[in-house]
Amino acid sequence: MSAAVGRFSILSILLLLASCSSALAQRSQLKAPWNMYSPETDITEGKKFANQVEKQAQLCHDPKVDAYLTQLGSRLVARLNTNGVQYPWEFHCVNDRSINAFALPGGYVFINRGAIEAADNESQLAGVMAHELSHVALRHGTAQASKASFAQGAAGIFGSIFGGTTGGALLTQGITLGAGSALLHYSRSAETQADVMGTQVLFDSGYDPRGMAQFFEKLQEEAKGKNPPEFFSDHPNPDHRLERVDEEIQKLGGIPPNARKDSAEFEAAKREVMTLPAPAKPAPRAATPPREPGQGAPPPAPSEKSVTYRQSGLTLQYPDNWKQYASDENGATFGPPGGVMDDGSGHGALAYGLTVGRAKGSVDASSLGDATQRLISDLQQANPNMKVTRQSQNVKLNEQPALSTYLSNDSPGGGLETDWLVTVARPEGMVYFVCTAPQVEFETYRKACGAALDGVRFR
Ligand SMILES: [Zn+2]
């Protein structure tokens, strides 16, 4: 008897395993990209950014809509593979008519009323949410930040990656997030992963898995002949997006016959957001850019007297009325009092001054061009409006082969800034200098930075 039971159990376990593996083997397995941060960092840094968003965005402040989004979000989260991490999930409705939604690392999800109004049914809204939740589960935001930090060779202090401005010195340690930060600009491969995982989550929670792709198609329709929706600037369209989603649906076994498309709750929430008051016009940006307390006027002109900065490997001279805003073994940031401004998201970003940094990996004259291009594309990833205005030209710095490149970018104080980038080939890693100032005042700063660069000595 016991032997028979034993055989029966083993047989049923084998059958069970066989049926599981045939059902599971087919769906795509997703591996989160390399990440130098811990999931706890996703939560703590995401929370800081979420607090800023809550202060700056106009939320719907409609408990019924928030409760509905939380209920829908929780249903999807229940089917989301977070690799064992418990995120503090929050769902907020934003009173903004543009069709957009975003999720911060750690699970702080913001959904514009425009996205709810544009969705035809619950499976489409669930689709865009499942896509966002997948970015959180795969930790794409901090993975992107990891790549950027690694390329820069400076994980902590340089705002160039996280601050949203080129020379932005961070006044705090750790990741700093600014609006338009690297954390929300996903790569195309991250997009494909979020599409595939989002489709699986929709399927597993009983929704029509076509909802997400239908919503993206709708967004694309909207975009025809107009500016593309904000959603696509953060979530670039990967190649064959719709085909890849269809392929995953096939791998999952096709569209379930009883897949949920819509609900009375969705229709009620959609009616509710349509009755919300129109979003208030954003306050016009102050004519005078925000400055450090007590700094009402532009910073004082750079002094002609200089002080010496010594770092392992190099010395340079900078004006004696500038201060050192940040420094570590990879570099430092210098600027006049008032040179660091609030970049609009509560973070300090360098508006006037000079940044020196070092990238990893030995660089010689022949690889300098490529290394410079890599640095520029990393900067552009974090600063979508940054443009090269003058191509790299060969120069010499303290007898070392160097390249001089000019770029433009949004200044943290409003208007445009000029960024003069000088990269130097060094066996211990490429050294770069970024001289930053608003375009209209750049000439003064070009002279001061030029004098500082003339005094650079490598040891
Ligand atoms: Zn995305």
Side-chain angles (χ1 to χ4, degrees):
M1 187 64 191
S2 63
V5 168
R7 260 202 314 277
F8 177 73
S9 311
I10 288 167
L11 184 66
S12 50
I13 288 167
L14 286 176
L15 283 174
L16 193 70
L17 284 176
S19 66
C20 282
S21 63
S22 69
L24 294 176
Q26 300 198 8
R27 66 171 59 200
S28 302
Q29 300 295 315
L30 296 158
K31 189 170 174 292
W34 173 74
N35 201 313
M36 65 189 272
Y37 301 102
S38 67
E40 290 68 37
T41 307
D42 284 44
I43 296 171
T44 53
E45 297 299 322
K47 178 68 188 165
K48 283 187 207 160
F49 196 7
N51 288 341
Q52 289 173 31
V53 172
E54 282 177 53
K55 267 190 232 136
Q56 285 167 13
Q58 298 181 45
L59 299 184
C60 298
H61 297 297
D62 185 319
K64 275 190 242 169
V65 177
D66 284 341
Y68 167 72
L69 292 175
T70 303
Q71 181 199 25
L72 174 56
S74 308
R75 191 181 296 154
L76 300 168
V77 164
R79 300 294 178 162
L80 183 74
N81 177 6
T82 60
N83 237 330
V85 184
Q86 292 275 353
Y87 292 107
W89 302 106
E90 284 178 17
F91 299 88
H92 302 274
C93 168
V94 183
N95 193 0
D96 184 329
R97 287 222 157 96
S98 56
I99 307 175
N100 202 6
F102 61 95
L104 299 171
Y108 308 93
V109 186
F110 294 84
I111 297 151
N112 282 4
R113 69 183 283 185
I116 303 172
E117 288 166 340
D120 293 326
N121 55 48
E122 188 167 75
S123 76
Q124 291 185 8
L125 181 63
V128 71
M129 285 173 75
H131 176 97
E132 295 295 338
L133 301 182
S134 303
H135 281 309
V136 174
L138 293 160
R139 307 184 52 224
H140 284 152
T142 46
Q144 194 73 10
S146 302
K147 251 182 6 199
S149 288
F150 187 72
Q152 281 288 72
I157 64 159
F158 289 104
S160 33
I161 290 303
F162 299 117
T165 47
T166 326
L170 297 191
L171 304 179
T172 51
Q173 291 288 322
I175 308 182
T176 295
L177 310 158
S181 90
L183 295 173
L184 289 173
H185 295 292
Y186 304 113
S187 65
R188 286 189 164 76
S189 62
E191 280 311 296
T192 299
Q193 282 200 324
D195 286 353
V196 169
M197 188 184 255
T199 302
Q200 295 174 350
V201 168
L202 277 185
F203 181 92
D204 292 341
S205 47
Y207 282 104
D208 185 334
R210 291 169 300 185
M212 185 180 61
Q214 285 167 355
F215 191 81
F216 290 151
E217 272 182 310
K218 218 179 151 69
L219 269 175
Q220 235 155 3
E221 267 319 292
E222 292 274 327
K224 274 194 183 136
K226 282 186 276 174
N227 286 336
E230 222 176 308
F231 186 85
F232 286 132
S233 69
D234 290 342
H235 304 261
N237 248 331
D239 291 336
H240 312 295
R241 177 167 229 164
L242 303 180
E243 290 86 338
R244 183 65 188 86
V245 169
D246 283 340
E247 190 188 315
E248 194 62 26
I249 294 172
Q250 290 318 308
K251 286 185 182 181
L252 291 165
I255 300 147
N258 53 353
R260 189 206 311 248
K261 263 184 120 73
D262 208 359
S263 74
E265 291 82 8
F266 169 78
E267 295 303 332
K270 186 169 169 171
R271 279 195 304 274
E272 180 81 15
V273 290
M274 285 174 159
T275 63
L276 285 175
K281 291 248 160 38
R285 194 160 189 157
T288 314
R291 295 179 191 278
E292 284 185 331
Q295 300 291 329
S303 159
E304 287 179 9
K305 288 197 198 118
S306 61
V307 287
T308 305
Y309 159 78
R310 283 194 178 79
Q311 186 213 24
S312 57
L314 77 86
T315 56
L316 71 76
Q317 314 283 325
Y318 63 94
D320 71 351
N321 64 343
W322 285 11
K323 48 184 183 175
Q324 208 167 303
Y325 281 105
S327 138
D328 75 357
E329 72 279 9
N330 286 309
T333 299
F334 312 95
V340 170
M341 290 183 179
D342 187 325
D343 67 356
S345 64
H347 285 286
L350 191 74
Y352 298 84
L354 179 67
T355 298
V356 49
R358 192 189 299 280
K360 282 192 175 131
S362 182
V363 172
D364 62 14
S366 65
S367 55
L368 180 61
D370 287 345
T372 301
Q373 277 316 311
R374 276 200 299 278
L375 176 63
I376 292 174
S377 32
D378 286 332
L379 291 170
Q380 285 173 325
Q381 224 170 4
N383 300 274
N385 292 332
M386 179 181 270
K387 290 182 187 71
V388 173
T389 51
R390 198 193 298 167
Q391 293 299 329
S392 303
Q393 290 174 321
N394 289 310
V395 292
K396 280 264 162 72
L397 192 74
N398 186 209
E399 301 305 311
Q400 307 296 305
L403 288 173
S404 160
T405 314
Y406 283 83
L407 304 111
S408 74
N409 192 25
D410 295 334
S411 172
L416 288 177
E417 69 182 23
T418 298
D419 295 296
W420 176 28
L421 170 70
V422 176
T423 46
V424 191
R426 294 290 296 163
E428 71 275 18
M430 183 174 77
V431 174
Y432 60 88
F433 302 87
V434 187
C435 180
T436 302
Q439 255 176 21
V440 285
E441 291 161 85
F442 188 72
E443 199 42 39
T444 310
Y445 284 83
R446 198 194 58 75
K447 280 194 194 124
C449 293
L453 293 183
D454 285 343
V456 167
R457 295 291 174 269
F458 295 103
R459 278 179 279 143

